[in-house]
Amino acid sequence: MKVELRSKPFDPLLELGLYQASLDERRPGRYGATAIFIGTMRDFNGDETVRGMTLEHYPGMTERHLQRIVAAARGEWPLLDTLVIHRVGELQPNDPIVLVAVWSAHRAAAFAACRCIMEELKSKAPFWKREDTTDGPRWVEHNTPG
Amino acid sequence: MKVELRSKPFDPLLELGLYQASLDERRPGRYGATAIFIGTMRDFNGDETVRGMTLEHYPGMTERHLQRIVAAARGEWPLLDTLVIHRVGELQPNDPIVLVAVWSAHRAAAFAACRCIMEELKSKAPFWKREDTTDGPRWVEHNTPG
Amino acid sequence: MGIQVKYFASLRDRLGRAEDRLEPRGEVTVAEVWAALWPETPLPPNTLTAVNLEYADPGQVVRDGDEVAFFPPVTGG
Amino acid sequence: MGIQVKYFASLRDRLGRAEDRLEPRGEVTVAEVWAALWPETPLPPNTLTAVNLEYADPGQVVRDGDEVAFFPPVTGG
C-alpha cells in the first residue's frame, strides 16, 4: 500500500510496472484482479481552451486524507494491495493527474474499491485545480459527480 | 478500438503503453479518464492448488462476440477508444488472462464501460478454462458473478 | 454439404469427440440435431447452443450448410 | 502560540493572503475565528473548514495552538 504526491510529471504505466514487480515478489499468484484508474489533464473543459493547470494542495491534510480513504477501502473490501499517486504543481495537457490501482483476488472488489477511492479522493482530498485558459487563469469551482 | 486474442503470454502494461502512444498521437489531450482491468491467473481457487491452466475458445464466435460487446459499450457510453486483449492456450500462474482498457473524457463512463465489458465478456464470450490441479485437470464449471 | 456440428470444452471431453457431421432430412431444429447424433444421451443441462457463431435456442431451425455448436457455460475473463 | 489560520486556492486569492495568526481571547469557534479576522466579510458560501488537518464544522471549538483552515470545495483527481 503506497500513497504518494508528486510535484513532477509521472508515468502511470511505469509506476504500475515497478510497483507490481515488488508485489509479484511478495504475493506471487495471489491476485486475480487489478482495477486501475488514470486521470489525465484534458485540453478542453466546456467551451474554453485549457493550456495548462496548477494543482494546489494542503500539505499534511491531503496526505492524511488520502491514507484514510485507502484504509477505508481496505476495510470494506478484501484487497491485497493499493497504489495511489497524485500530482501537485504545474501540469501540461496530457499530463497524468492521478493513478489509483487496486489488487484483489476478485474483480468485484477490485472494481468497487478503485471506483470508491477515486470518488472519495475527488470529494474529500484537499486539492484545487487552477486552469490556465485562453481567457486567463480560472479556479475550477467544483468536481463533476462521478 | 482493438480486440485481440493472444496464444502467447503478453504484458498488459506494455500493451497499454504501446496502444496509448498511438492514441496520444491521434487524440492529444482529449481523454481525461482511463479505466483498466487486468485479470491474472491465480494459483489458488477454493481448496486445491492450481498449477496451470488451458484457455479454450471457439474461433470465429469468440472474436465476433468480443467485438459486439465492445461495440455495445461504445453505443452506451461516450468512449474515445477501447483495448481488449484475451489469452488463449496454456497459462502459468501469474500470467495475465485479460486486459480491458477504456479511454473517455469522463470517469463515470470509463468506469462503467470497463466494468460492463468485463461482465459481458465473462458471461457471453465463448472461452473455457481448464485448470491443472494437484488432483489432475478440471474444467471450471461457471464464472462467479461480478 | 451437411450440418457441421462442434463440441467444446468439458462437453467435448465427455463425448470423446470435437466434431460431427449430419445430413439433415428436411428441416431440423438444434435440439433435433443433438437427438439425431446422440439418441441415447440427453443434452446435458446448462448446455449452450450456437448456430453460425450466434447463440441460439434449442428450437431454432438449422439448414443444410449451417454450423451448430454445443458447449458448457463460458468461463473466460 | 496563537491560532494559525490558513487560506487556500480561490479563497486565498480573493483575500489576498495565505495565512493569519489570531490570539484567542478564551474559547472560540471556527466561525468566530473567521469573524475576528474578517469582520466585514461573511464566510463565503460553500467554504470548507478544517481544524488540525481534519474537516470541522464552523461551530467546532478551537484552542490556542490549533491550526484552522478555510478553503473552497476540493477539485482534485
Side-chain angles (χ1 to χ4, degrees):
Chain A
M1 162 181 170
K2 188 165 91 168
V3 171
E4 278 191 4
L5 300 181
R6 297 285 180 88
S7 56
K8 300 288 180 191
F10 71 101
D11 178 337
L13 301 179
L14 181 63
E15 300 287 343
L16 277 168
L18 291 170
Y19 196 74
Q20 181 153 311
S22 71
L23 195 62
D24 288 342
E25 282 176 18
R26 286 178 289 135
R27 306 178 192 271
R30 295 293 304 280
Y31 57 90
T34 310
I36 300 157
F37 182 83
I38 299 168
T40 308
M41 191 193 148
R42 286 179 290 152
D43 65 1
F44 68 99
N45 196 352
D47 286 337
E48 286 124 313
T49 298
V50 179
R51 295 178 298 189
M53 179 185 279
T54 301
L55 255 165
E56 186 176 336
H57 74 297
Y58 184 170
M61 182 166 176
T62 306
E63 294 88 333
R64 178 185 291 201
H65 279 74
L66 289 178
Q67 294 279 0
R68 188 174 298 163
I69 288 163
V70 170
R74 292 168 70 91
E76 186 160 356
W77 291 282
L79 309 182
L80 291 165
D81 215 324
T82 56
L83 172 63
V84 176
I85 299 176
H86 201 292
R87 268 302 306 281
V88 296
E90 295 185 13
L91 286 84
Q92 304 295 320
N94 252 351
D95 277 357
I97 298 171
V98 60
L99 165 67
V100 174
V102 173
W103 288 264
S104 175
H106 300 286
R107 74 184 186 284
F111 269 122
C114 186
R115 176 93 204 235
C116 170
I117 290 170
M118 267 307 298
E119 298 311 313
E120 291 287 286
L121 182 157
K122 289 194 87 101
S123 66
K124 293 187 183 158
F127 292 103
W128 301 275
K129 290 192 182 104
R130 193 188 67 208
E131 296 174 337
D132 299 317
T133 76
T134 50
D135 294 336
R138 178 190 58 193
W139 289 98
V140 176
E141 291 185 4
H142 53 78
N143 272 333
T144 51
Chain B
M1 162 182 169
K2 189 164 91 167
V3 171
E4 278 191 5
L5 300 181
R6 296 285 179 89
S7 56
K8 300 289 178 191
F10 72 101
D11 178 338
L13 300 179
L14 181 63
E15 300 288 342
L16 276 168
L18 291 171
Y19 196 73
Q20 181 153 311
S22 71
L23 196 61
D24 288 343
E25 282 176 19
R26 286 178 288 135
R27 307 177 191 269
R30 295 293 304 281
Y31 56 89
T34 309
I36 300 157
F37 182 84
I38 300 169
T40 308
M41 191 193 148
R42 287 180 289 152
D43 64 3
F44 69 97
N45 194 352
D47 287 335
E48 287 125 311
T49 297
V50 179
R51 295 179 298 190
M53 178 184 281
T54 302
L55 256 165
E56 186 176 336
H57 75 297
Y58 184 170
M61 182 167 175
T62 306
E63 295 89 332
R64 178 185 291 200
H65 279 75
L66 290 177
Q67 293 280 358
R68 188 174 299 164
I69 288 163
V70 170
R74 292 169 70 90
E76 187 160 355
W77 292 282
L79 309 182
L80 291 166
D81 216 323
T82 57
L83 172 63
V84 175
I85 299 176
H86 200 293
R87 269 301 306 280
V88 295
E90 294 185 13
L91 286 83
Q92 304 296 320
N94 252 352
D95 278 355
I97 298 171
V98 59
L99 164 68
V100 173
V102 172
W103 289 264
S104 175
H106 301 286
R107 74 185 185 283
F111 270 121
C114 186
R115 177 94 203 234
C116 170
I117 289 170
M118 268 307 299
E119 298 311 312
E120 291 287 287
L121 182 158
K122 288 194 88 102
S123 66
K124 293 187 184 160
F127 292 103
W128 301 274
K129 290 192 181 103
R130 193 189 65 209
E131 296 175 338
D132 299 316
T133 77
T134 49
D135 294 336
R138 178 190 57 192
W139 288 98
V140 176
E141 289 186 6
H142 53 78
N143 272 333
T144 51
Chain C
M1 291 194 293
I3 294 167
Q4 172 110 14
V5 181
K6 294 186 173 181
Y7 313 109
F8 290 95
S10 57
L11 182 62
R12 178 198 54 229
D13 287 1
R14 283 171 65 179
L15 299 174
R17 53 195 299 143
E19 294 191 18
D20 268 317
R21 183 172 290 276
L22 180 72
E23 297 298 334
R25 281 166 294 178
E27 219 176 66
V28 291
T29 65
V30 169
E32 287 164 351
V33 168
W34 177 272
L37 291 164
W38 303 94
E40 300 184 2
T41 309
L43 190 64
N46 299 323
T47 299
L48 300 172
T49 54
V51 175
N52 297 335
L53 311 182
E54 299 289 348
Y55 284 102
D57 293 326
Q60 184 167 322
V61 170
V62 184
R63 292 181 178 78
D64 197 25
D66 283 351
E67 177 173 304
V68 177
F70 299 93
F71 47 79
V74 302
T75 56
Chain D
M1 291 194 290
I3 294 167
Q4 173 110 12
V5 181
K6 293 186 174 182
Y7 313 109
F8 289 95
S10 58
L11 182 62
R12 177 197 56 229
D13 287 0
R14 283 171 66 177
L15 300 172
R17 52 196 299 143
E19 295 190 20
D20 268 317
R21 182 172 291 276
L22 180 72
E23 297 298 333
R25 283 167 293 179
E27 220 176 64
V28 291
T29 65
V30 169
E32 288 164 350
V33 167
W34 177 272
L37 292 164
W38 303 95
E40 299 184 2
T41 307
L43 191 64
N46 300 324
T47 298
L48 300 172
T49 55
V51 174
N52 297 334
L53 311 182
E54 298 290 348
Y55 285 102
D57 292 325
Q60 184 167 324
V61 170
V62 184
R63 293 183 177 78
D64 197 24
D66 283 352
E67 176 173 305
V68 177
F70 299 92
F71 48 80
V74 302
T75 55

